[in-house]
Amino acid sequence: MISQFFVLSQRGDNIVFRDYRGEVPKGSAEIFFRKVKFWKEDGQEEAPPVFNVDGVNYFHVKVVGLLFVATTRANVSPSIVLELLQRIARVIKDYVGVLNEDSIRKNFVLVYELLDEAIDFGFVQTTSTELLKSYIFNEPIVIDAARLSSLGSTGLFMQGTKRMPGTAVTKSVVANEPGGRKREEIFVDIIEKISVTFSSSGYILTSEIDGTIQMKSYLTGNPEIRLALNEDLSIGRGGTSAYDYRSSFGSGAVILDDCNFHESVRLDNFEVDKTLTLVPPDGEFPVMNYRMTQEFKPPFRINALIEEAGMLKAEVILKLYAEFPSNITANTISVQMPLPKYTMRASFELEPGAIGQTTDFKEANKRLEWGLKKIVGGSELTLRARLTFSQEFHGNITKESGPVSMTFTIPMYNSSKLQVKYLQIAKKSGTYNPYRWVRYVTLANSYVARI
Amino acid sequence: MAPPQRSSSPSQPSGKGEVSDVKAQAPASGGSRAPGADDSKRELFKKFLKKMCYLYVGNYAKVNPDLALLTINFLQRDCKDADPMIRGLALRSLCSLRVTNLVEYLVGPLGAGLKDSSSYVRMVAAMGVLKLYHISASTCVDADFPAMLSICCLTIQIHRWLQIVLSALQEIWSLEGSASEEVSREREILLSKSVIYYLLNRIREFSEWAQCLVLELVAKYVPSDSNEIFDVMNLLEDRLQHANGAVVLATIKVFLQLTLSMTDVHQQVYERIKAPLLTLVSSGSPEQSYAVLSHLHLLVMRAPFIFSSDYKHFYCQYNEPSYVKKLKLEMLTAVANESNTYEIVTELCEYAANVDIPIARESIRAVGKIALQQYDVNAIVDRLLQFLEMEKDYVTAEALVLVKDLLRKYPQWSQDCIAVVGNISSNNVQEPKAKAALIWMLGEYSQDMHDAPYILEGLVENWDDEHSAEVRLHLLTAVMKCFFKRPPETQKSLGAALAAGLADFHQDVHDRALFYYRLLQYNISVAERVVNPPKQAVSVFADTQSSEIKDRIFDEFNSLSVVYQKPSYMFTHKEHRGPFEFSDEIGHVSIGTESVDTVVPANGVEANDKDLLLSTSEKEETRVPSSNSSAYSAPSYDLSSVSVPTSQLLELTISNPTVPGHAPQSSFAIDDLLGLGLPAAPAPAPSPPLLKLNPKAVLDPTTFQQKWRQLPIALSQDYSVNPQGVVALTTPQSLLRHMQGLSIHCIASGGKSPNFKFFFFAQKAEESSTFLVECIVNTSSAKAQIKIKADDQSATEAFSSVFQSALSKFGMP
């Protein structure tokens, strides 16, 4: 049960504000924003998603830079409220196509209408995009998606949220195509976030894949869908520890540690032929989340070296090995490495002929940043940086710097080898042949090499 | 189009620019969903307009109740519209007006709405019942709506909206309280086997939000035997695979609650829920993972051994926010055991070099905690000593504090540690805590550290530059210790330290220096025994959180209590305690009886005491001097937290003027109940003179303070507080109101749960003789300490029994 719901912009402007129960004083949005902005004086710590100020509990989630906030005085289940906030953001996105400050402002009447139907007196009525359709009369003003491109699609899913919006899917569930005809299509995205920690000797300390099969359906009449996964897929590792690699390594089978499913998914045949049966509701939703600690081949290997070169100098050598097939290209790669705090300057040297690469030394937090537009599979890249220190260093220079961390996006590649073998739509007629998009993408979650 | 500026409140479109905005957003202009069909287009537009109007009316009704009256007719007519959408909308708007004098118009449409053919309207009506309850509870109950709702809940096909009906019911019931028998009967029906089974069997048909509520309900259900428990768990097993974390957590709560009494099954439950929890932590938004992680944290803390093989899941990722990292570090500390300690500590050492300084500190502390838990500390000590050599000031500082704690537990390591600590220059240590730790070690091990006296001497010379009193205190003690071990080298600096200490402006430092000085003067060997007694190694460091509190948090699984790591009474008011608090009272009772002998942490109260008195006198000074004492109606001019409107107080006092009369009798009865062991004589003791108190007594705080200082303690006693009283004390104001009703007034109160402190006063009815009471209540041990001072000492006994009976009645219905 929540008392108020509001959406704040990054600057703290009230974009949407709805008071359901009148129990929390009006100034709550300001109190909240100030608290979030200045959680600790040194600004080093982020405010947790749930906190209590003067008996009022504030919940917030960050979605594409906006703060979705709920307040209540009751001792409610935090996951219900946080889930609800996330769900509201998704419903709004389903309706207006693109979620950002502008689209919410332009569609504020629609947003209020949605809020009134989704929540009454602080209680959730429904967050199903489909159910809401029959109670919503407004039509969205669709923001021109082209205007977004300046932001870049990666900007949308790298920042803050782990959940990536289907990159190309910026269409409202209710709006029509300009031609007046609705296009029959369905998107299935397999999104994998990988976390790898390499030891200083290049050995893999920990690795994990967190994957989601996300679906967005624009099919009329809600036909049943069958989604077939790898036949050799198995779930759970019996009695063995989750990190016991030996048992599974080399067998080639995909073994998930655990997974969960959207409530529309029926698993009647899952044990037999690894198919998921579902009637997809409108809008975007995760069909299945899974987690895997089975050993896999990391797409990148990182080699970092820092060496003293005289009294006030040192040299950093960073090497990247792209260990995936050459028909695949990773993009928006960024490599970061904290340097000793008495570093004054850094001069960089890229390989001859390097294009689309940027280098930077961030003075404020003493960090080296190496950006690469794309890396083709199988290639190897090197960066050399010469550091100048303001004072002589004592002790161990490697202890003062690192670890190297990396972010990237690799489209049409997934490390787990989990696949959608086929996507079957229970058809109504022979001519019915909607577009089906099955896309794979791998993102770095926490990709770290210690030095 | 520039985004419109909404200065006041964006929910109330008011500017002119927005009219065009709204126009632009109206469906008719945006193109219809069914192009070509004019009628449906018009219909759509009509609904849209109606919606907008309702929204407007809802927003302004509260400000203009008279105008709102004008809309009633329309709304009532729309409640009978042929279109269920319109009916629902109208009914919702009608109920949302929140205007008290319109309540009479609500009953009819609501009654009709609950029986409507459309499930949407029924759902709106169910919520309407709750809204009506908030406007006027009596109207709602008189119209028998709650009962109708519970019938609704079970008979009509409302699966889609079940959560609405359930939540409305639960809120009404929790507000009605357990007082009414009818309500508790209704509750029992909902918790009966048949209803629970009915809901459980259909749980897959419900929306995920309804599932959460049903599961919450099931968690309160007490199955009759273990077969039933297994049936329920088997039925719910697949809910653990739900993608919605809230459903999974609610299911886990059911599993944990059901198996509490079956130890091995309970443990199996932990094993079973591990994987789903870990999956939830790593999927979903960071905020959702945090909520789940907090719960995982709670479970790990309760049963670390079950999670000890999963320690790698608790490794921090570099880009995680620090609130997540902190939880993970605590979990890593908890799950460390003999087999994984080495790897965990290695990982933690990586974080110590982290750029994120707060986390680096936490990691070092975590290493220290692990060291204190383990028997085999060999490797860890080495690591800690490496920290000392890392030359990062915060690392050194944290490591010093840890080495100190470590030495207190494992004195056998002193040789190794001292060698390294001795190399640290005290100039490089700035943080008071670390400096104090270093100085402690210098004093404690001065016989082994060659230059300890000289380092201390240097520190004493810089006495004036040392800003932290803690460090100066430690310095005094260290110099003393050193003196007894190596007198010739230390004598000079001891003299200097004592002189500096005596001249110190800080009271504690001054006092300690004086104490040492006199001790030395009195007898040197006694002084040595005081300062350098043979020490026993500390085996267990005090835990910060009592096990009761932890149990309480566990009982409140899947609520904010887990995230805040505090039981709900510490951060919510009673009325907001959550919609479903069936077993609450029972929980309190058991805590009250089990933990009577918990030690009261006295210093908290002490500090409050100081604050209280201070703030009294400050307020006194700022008060307008012209008003004379008779103008006070005492507590309304009260301190900080206590602010009860005067009018209310007067009302209470007047309504209850005769109570003190029957005090002695009832107090006996209750004393017997509590087994306090009164004098065995069954014949009533010479009955104390009947004491009548003045219900309108006044006393201003200054007089109170003066009297409190002057008068001797006439009576000092310990009482037990009954469990109901403990429960009611979650809002200390209620005690004040209660006492007020019995002509005992409060002048100041304060404290935090579990320790509350109150100052009361009372006046005899006929004469101006006053009684002053200091009452310290500890809710966790259910004890009250009472000190009474009186103008008329002879009447103390009588007053004491009045007070005691008043206190014992607190919380009783």
Side-chain angles (χ1 to χ4, degrees):
Chain A
M1 179 192 65
I2 62 170
S3 195
Q4 295 168 324
F5 168 85
F6 48 91
V7 181
L8 299 185
S9 76
Q10 251 159 341
R11 297 179 306 278
D13 300 336
N14 236 334
I15 308 175
V16 176
F17 187 97
R18 188 83 176 87
D19 195 332
Y20 289 106
R21 293 177 69 102
E23 292 168 340
V24 174
K26 276 268 185 281
S28 55
E30 269 175 47
I31 295 170
F32 165 80
F33 191 70
R34 212 169 302 139
K35 199 78 190 167
V36 165
K37 200 88 187 167
F38 308 105
W39 181 250
K40 287 268 155 76
E41 296 97 63
D42 55 6
Q44 280 201 348
E45 280 177 39
E46 218 178 307
V50 187
F51 55 82
N52 182 310
V53 182
D54 298 333
V56 179
N57 302 302
Y58 294 86
F59 299 79
H60 74 279
V61 302
K62 282 185 199 144
V63 185
V64 291
L66 300 172
L67 291 162
F68 285 70
V69 192
T71 63
T72 179
R73 284 185 182 274
N75 185 19
V76 294
S77 155
S79 40
I80 290 188
V81 180
L82 293 168
E83 192 83 41
L84 173 66
L85 288 173
Q86 204 78 46
R87 218 51 85 72
I88 290 177
R90 195 186 300 165
V91 167
I92 295 177
K93 185 187 169 215
D94 282 342
Y95 272 84
V96 302
V98 185
L99 189 62
N100 59 23
E101 184 174 343
D102 199 26
S103 68
I104 293 184
R105 282 194 193 276
K106 285 241 163 63
N107 289 292
F108 76 91
V109 181
L110 171 63
V111 172
Y112 278 113
E113 203 183 357
L114 283 169
L115 284 176
D116 270 355
E117 293 297 341
I119 303 172
D120 190 16
F121 208 52
F123 293 103
V124 196
Q125 303 195 120
T126 179
T127 52
S128 146
T129 302
E130 192 169 343
L131 271 181
L132 281 169
K133 262 187 180 172
S134 37
Y135 308 110
I136 300 297
F137 306 118
N138 264 294
E139 300 225 340
I141 299 167
V142 179
I143 299 284
D144 191 2
R147 272 174 51 204
L148 271 169
S149 60
S150 60
L151 245 170
S153 52
T154 46
L156 280 174
F157 56 73
M158 300 313 292
Q159 208 53 45
T161 70
K162 283 189 194 167
R163 192 172 68 88
M164 188 190 73
T167 37
V169 194
T170 54
K171 212 165 60 164
S172 161
V173 286
V174 286
N176 290 311
E177 292 287 290
R181 225 190 75 238
K182 206 178 150 184
R183 198 154 112 145
E184 292 282 313
E185 55 188 343
I186 181 165
F187 295 85
V188 179
D189 293 335
I190 292 92
I191 302 160
E192 290 189 350
K193 297 166 295 172
I194 57 179
S195 303
V196 180
T197 309
F198 298 97
S199 72
S200 50
S201 49
Y203 168 77
I204 297 176
L205 288 171
T206 60
S207 63
E208 178 168 321
I209 300 178
D210 299 318
T212 303
I213 302 180
Q214 196 151 298
M215 192 178 273
K216 191 156 188 177
S217 159
Y218 293 96
L219 302 175
T220 47
N222 300 85
E224 189 180 86
I225 283 178
R226 281 160 61 83
L227 205 65
L229 306 177
N230 308 34
E231 276 157 24
D232 52 4
L233 178 76
S234 62
I235 293 167
R237 305 169 135 256
T240 60
S241 151
Y243 273 97
D244 187 4
Y245 294 125
R246 279 154 301 184
S247 58
S248 59
F249 187 51
S251 65
V254 178
I255 302 171
L256 305 180
D257 287 35
D258 186 51
C259 58
N260 60 39
F261 301 95
H262 187 259
E263 60 175 354
S264 66
V265 177
R266 291 206 317 277
L267 298 167
D268 307 342
N269 289 327
F270 189 72
E271 285 305 316
V272 186
D273 56 4
K274 310 294 174 210
T275 53
L276 309 173
T277 317
L278 69 154
V279 176
D282 285 347
E284 187 179 303
F285 68 99
V287 177
M288 169 181 173
N289 296 308
Y290 56 92
R291 181 165 57 82
M292 192 177 113
T293 47
Q294 184 190 17
E295 187 163 292
F296 62 94
K297 190 168 184 163
F300 287 101
R301 269 198 306 119
I302 310 169
N303 198 337
L305 200 68
I306 182 161
E307 276 179 339
E308 298 170 27
M311 287 303 276
L312 291 169
K313 284 192 186 337
E315 190 180 39
V316 176
I317 304 169
L318 280 178
K319 271 192 160 67
L320 281 185
Y321 304 93
E323 303 202 309
F324 44 89
S326 56
N327 59 347
I328 284 169
T329 309
N331 54 40
T332 52
I333 302 102
S334 155
V335 184
Q336 302 187 327
M337 174 175 167
L339 298 173
K341 64 173 188 292
Y342 37 81
T343 310
M344 254 190 351
R345 275 192 309 275
S347 63
F348 297 98
E349 187 187 314
L350 286 166
E351 285 167 287
I355 42 165
Q357 298 188 22
T358 54
T359 51
D360 196 4
F361 169 61
K362 288 271 186 279
E363 180 79 44
N365 43 18
K366 305 289 181 196
R367 208 163 57 184
L368 173 161
E369 294 189 357
W370 181 18
L372 301 99
K373 274 226 176 68
K374 56 181 175 186
I375 299 179
V376 180
S379 55
E380 182 187 320
L381 299 106
T382 312
L383 170 76
R384 285 165 188 278
R386 269 179 255 288
L387 314 179
T388 313
F389 300 139
S390 57
Q391 65 180 72
E392 273 180 53
F393 46 80
H394 309 274
N396 197 339
I397 189 166
T398 54
K399 282 235 153 92
E400 299 280 331
S401 43
V404 182
S405 61
M406 183 174 181
T407 59
F408 52 79
T409 308
I410 316 177
M412 298 326 284
Y413 175 84
N414 71 334
S415 305
S416 70
K417 302 199 174 64
L418 180 85
Q419 279 182 317
V420 174
K421 291 286 184 198
Y422 62 84
L423 172 67
Q424 202 176 58
I425 301 171
K427 51 175 93 135
K428 289 175 272 186
S429 69
T431 54
Y432 181 71
N433 197 11
Y435 295 92
R436 296 162 222 198
W437 308 95
V438 179
R439 302 177 299 181
Y440 296 86
V441 65
T442 295
L443 307 169
N445 186 21
S446 163
Y447 209 82
V448 175
R450 294 184 174 149
I451 57 169
Chain B
M1 191 175 359
Q5 286 298 317
R6 257 164 244 113
S7 51
S8 55
S9 162
S11 63
Q12 303 172 3
S14 53
K16 276 203 175 141
E18 284 164 1
V19 176
S20 59
D21 259 18
V22 174
K23 248 188 191 164
Q25 293 188 25
S29 60
S32 157
R33 240 175 278 171
D38 260 1
D39 271 357
S40 74
K41 203 171 180 179
R42 197 173 302 132
E43 197 57 30
L44 208 62
F45 190 59
K46 208 177 96 190
K47 282 186 186 173
F48 168 75
L49 275 187
K50 266 204 167 44
K51 253 194 168 172
M52 298 308 303
C53 295
Y54 290 154
L55 186 67
Y56 180 85
V57 170
N59 267 321
Y60 287 100
K62 224 178 175 175
V63 197
N64 288 318
D66 298 342
L67 290 178
L69 191 63
L70 299 178
T71 64
I72 290 275
N73 256 332
F74 287 97
L75 288 173
Q76 273 187 323
R77 205 178 56 209
D78 278 349
C79 283
K80 296 186 182 110
D81 197 281
D83 186 342
M85 272 300 309
I86 304 271
R87 287 204 299 276
L89 271 177
L91 189 56
R92 181 187 300 161
S93 313
L94 198 59
C95 299
S96 304
L97 292 180
R98 295 190 213 170
V99 181
T100 322
N101 53 9
L102 301 184
V103 163
E104 48 188 305
Y105 301 102
L106 272 177
V107 178
L110 266 183
L114 283 174
K115 297 192 188 87
D116 200 283
S117 57
S118 150
S119 70
Y120 179 73
V121 180
R122 288 201 299 273
M123 180 268 291
V124 170
M127 197 71 333
V129 169
L130 179 60
K131 289 176 188 167
L132 172 64
Y133 185 87
H134 276 272
I135 307 169
S136 162
S138 55
T139 319
C140 183
V141 177
D142 289 347
D144 216 19
F145 282 143
M148 282 168 80
L149 266 188
S150 42
I151 295 167
C152 223
C153 195
L154 303 173
T155 52
I156 312 174
Q157 293 296 308
I158 40 135
H159 294 156
R160 188 181 285 177
W161 312 113
L162 178 78
Q163 77 267 24
I164 292 295
V165 183
L166 266 183
S167 23
L169 257 184
Q170 293 185 359
E171 188 169 330
I172 291 177
W173 284 348
S174 70
L175 288 173
E176 277 284 278
S178 51
S180 149
E181 245 176 65
E182 201 182 334
V183 170
S184 39
R185 209 181 53 235
E186 296 268 358
R187 280 176 171 183
E188 266 160 35
I189 293 177
L190 201 53
L191 278 179
S192 69
K193 187 169 175 173
S194 56
V195 176
I196 293 284
Y197 276 41
Y198 173 87
L199 293 172
L200 276 177
N201 283 322
R202 282 161 189 76
I203 197 160
R204 277 171 205 78
E205 300 162 28
F206 303 148
S207 80
E208 45 198 322
W209 310 113
Q211 290 183 17
C212 293
L213 273 179
V214 170
L215 289 167
E216 193 67 19
L217 200 65
V218 176
K220 311 262 187 218
Y221 172 66
V222 185
S224 54
D225 57 35
S226 56
N227 285 336
E228 217 183 328
I229 292 179
F230 290 119
D231 285 348
V232 173
M233 297 210 313
N234 285 330
L235 200 66
L236 291 178
E237 171 119 35
D238 65 340
R239 295 298 94 191
L240 291 174
Q241 281 202 331
H242 204 285
N244 185 335
V247 174
V248 178
L249 283 180
T251 312
I252 289 175
K253 178 166 186 178
V254 173
F255 279 34
L256 291 173
Q257 294 290 344
L258 285 181
T259 58
L260 264 181
S261 55
M262 309 154 81
T263 322
D264 26 324
V265 186
H266 196 62
Q267 192 163 329
Q268 282 170 24
V269 167
Y270 273 79
E271 297 280 357
R272 175 66 186 86
I273 61 184
K274 209 154 69 173
L277 278 174
L278 289 171
T279 307
L280 281 175
V281 168
S282 52
S283 64
S285 69
E287 294 88 3
Q288 283 154 291
S289 351
Y290 172 67
V292 179
L293 196 69
S294 310
H295 286 84
L296 187 61
H297 176 263
L298 175 78
L299 297 177
V300 168
M301 291 308 179
R302 278 183 83 84
F305 57 95
I306 294 180
F307 296 89
S308 55
S309 60
D310 303 281
Y311 62 96
K312 284 199 181 183
H313 288 290
F314 310 138
Y315 282 2
C316 298
Q317 296 178 350
Y318 80 101
N319 51 358
E320 279 171 334
S322 44
Y323 51 81
V324 170
K325 285 184 181 162
K326 274 189 192 153
L327 283 182
K328 286 193 165 177
L329 287 177
E330 282 178 35
M331 292 197 266
L332 277 176
T333 317
V335 300
N337 63 13
E338 265 134 36
S339 60
N340 59 22
T341 294
Y342 181 80
E343 284 183 65
I344 292 180
V345 172
T346 311
E347 179 76 12
L348 287 172
C349 291
E350 290 288 339
Y351 306 151
N354 209 308
V355 276
D356 185 350
I357 293 176
I359 290 304
R361 285 175 180 274
E362 293 279 349
S363 319
I364 300 170
R365 272 175 232 156
V367 173
K369 273 190 212 147
I370 293 176
L372 292 178
Q373 287 168 6
Q374 297 298 316
Y375 296 101
D376 173 34
V377 280
N378 240 326
I380 305 180
V381 172
D382 281 349
R383 301 285 176 73
L384 277 179
L385 296 180
Q386 275 172 25
F387 285 148
L388 287 179
E389 289 160 348
M390 244 167 85
E391 299 214 19
K392 285 192 179 181
D393 40 4
Y394 60 87
V395 176
T396 316
E398 289 294 339
L400 273 175
V401 177
L402 280 181
V403 170
K404 178 203 70 181
D405 285 344
L406 210 62
L407 287 178
R408 286 171 66 198
K409 185 163 179 179
Y410 308 107
Q412 66 268 33
W413 290 102
S414 58
Q415 293 297 334
D416 305 66
C417 297
I418 291 313
V420 181
V421 171
N423 290 334
I424 294 172
S425 155
S426 60
N427 299 330
N428 293 346
V429 183
Q430 288 309 324
E431 285 173 43
K433 267 207 151 51
K435 207 164 185 175
L438 179 64
I439 291 172
W440 181 86
M441 285 186 272
L442 285 170
E444 194 65 32
Y445 298 98
S446 43
Q447 75 277 20
D448 304 321
M449 286 159 97
H450 180 68
D451 46 2
Y454 309 104
I455 301 176
L456 287 173
E457 190 176 347
L459 287 165
V460 171
E461 273 167 23
N462 294 324
W463 184 278
D464 291 336
D465 302 333
E466 187 50 65
H467 297 294
S468 156
E470 187 190 357
V471 175
R472 296 201 299 272
L473 282 171
H474 273 276
L475 190 53
L476 268 178
T477 311
V479 174
M480 277 290 276
K481 284 179 185 165
C482 191
F483 171 73
F484 288 112
K485 285 167 184 157
R486 299 162 72 172
E489 291 157 289
T490 325
Q491 194 175 11
K492 193 174 136 228
S493 41
L494 177 64
L498 286 178
L502 285 172
D504 203 283
F505 61 89
H506 195 277
Q507 196 62 49
D508 290 348
V509 180
H510 171 82
D511 286 358
R512 191 176 288 188
L514 195 63
F515 169 69
Y516 285 153
Y517 178 71
R518 293 199 175 142
L519 202 58
L520 288 167
Q521 234 178 3
Y522 169 70
N523 185 334
I524 300 246
S525 63
V526 170
E528 179 164 16
R529 278 214 306 278
V530 169
V531 178
N532 267 344
K535 284 194 183 59
Q536 261 189 338
V538 182
S539 57
V540 182
F541 285 88
D543 201 347
T544 44
Q545 213 170 32
S546 74
S547 58
E548 258 162 60
I549 289 196
K550 286 180 188 161
D551 285 347
R552 198 66 209 273
I553 297 174
F554 181 71
D555 288 340
E556 296 175 340
F557 194 87
N558 195 20
S559 77
L560 286 169
S561 314
V562 179
V563 175
Y564 297 150
Q565 300 179 19
K566 282 180 199 164
S568 59
Y569 66 80
M570 291 190 181
F571 62 91
T572 47
H573 292 297
K574 176 87 180 144
E575 64 267 29
H576 298 299
R577 204 56 69 64
F580 233 61
E581 199 78 350
F582 282 17
S583 60
D584 194 39
E585 288 84 349
I586 302 160
H588 272 288
V589 173
S590 65
I591 284 172
T593 48
E594 277 163 15
S595 56
V596 179
D597 49 3
T598 320
V599 186
V600 184
N603 51 354
V605 175
E606 251 1 274
N608 280 326
D609 188 5
K610 237 183 257 168
D611 288 348
L612 273 175
L613 293 177
L614 260 181
S615 58
T616 318
S617 52
E618 271 165 21
K619 286 214 170 172
E620 183 62 17
E621 277 158 24
T622 52
R623 197 171 44 82
V624 187
S626 68
S627 58
N628 61 16
S629 66
S630 68
Y632 297 133
S633 52
S636 70
Y637 151 79
D638 211 332
L639 293 174
S640 53
S641 60
V642 196
S643 60
V644 188
T646 323
S647 57
Q648 199 184 340
L649 288 175
L650 286 176
E651 201 178 281
L652 278 167
T653 26
I654 291 162
S655 67
N656 241 339
T658 54
V659 176
H662 59 76
Q665 229 179 344
S666 62
S667 78
F668 269 116
I670 281 162
D671 281 341
D672 273 358
L673 266 180
L674 292 168
L676 269 185
L678 276 193
S687 76
L690 205 62
L691 187 71
K692 265 196 173 284
L693 297 175
N694 176 8
K696 288 178 185 164
V698 284
L699 191 70
D700 66 293
T702 340
T703 326
F704 183 95
Q705 266 189 289
Q706 270 171 8
K707 275 184 186 279
W708 187 259
R709 247 179 264 136
Q710 289 160 1
L711 291 170
I713 295 179
L715 189 88
S716 170
Q717 240 176 326
D718 284 6
Y719 299 134
S720 292
V721 182
N722 57 22
Q724 289 91 334
V726 173
V727 177
L729 250 181
T730 42
T731 47
Q733 278 85 343
S734 55
L735 176 63
L736 307 190
R737 247 170 268 144
H738 169 78
M739 293 309 240
Q740 183 94 30
L742 302 168
S743 306
I744 299 169
H745 307 266
C746 177
I747 194 145
S749 73
K752 261 199 193 131
S753 179
N755 289 306
F756 295 96
K757 186 165 192 167
F758 302 93
F759 286 98
F760 293 102
F761 71 92
Q763 231 161 20
K764 277 198 196 170
E766 302 86 5
E767 47 190 299
S768 68
S769 160
T770 48
F771 301 96
L772 312 179
V773 188
E774 181 203 56
C775 173
I776 301 172
V777 184
N778 180 296
T779 49
S780 66
S781 64
K783 289 233 164 149
Q785 252 182 7
I786 289 160
K787 284 185 192 137
I788 299 176
K789 300 186 179 187
D791 283 342
D792 175 9
Q793 303 272 340
S794 62
T796 312
E797 279 299 335
F799 175 73
S800 157
S801 57
V802 170
F803 188 86
Q804 198 182 335
S805 89
L807 196 62
S808 63
K809 280 203 225 76
F810 176 55
M812 295 286 196

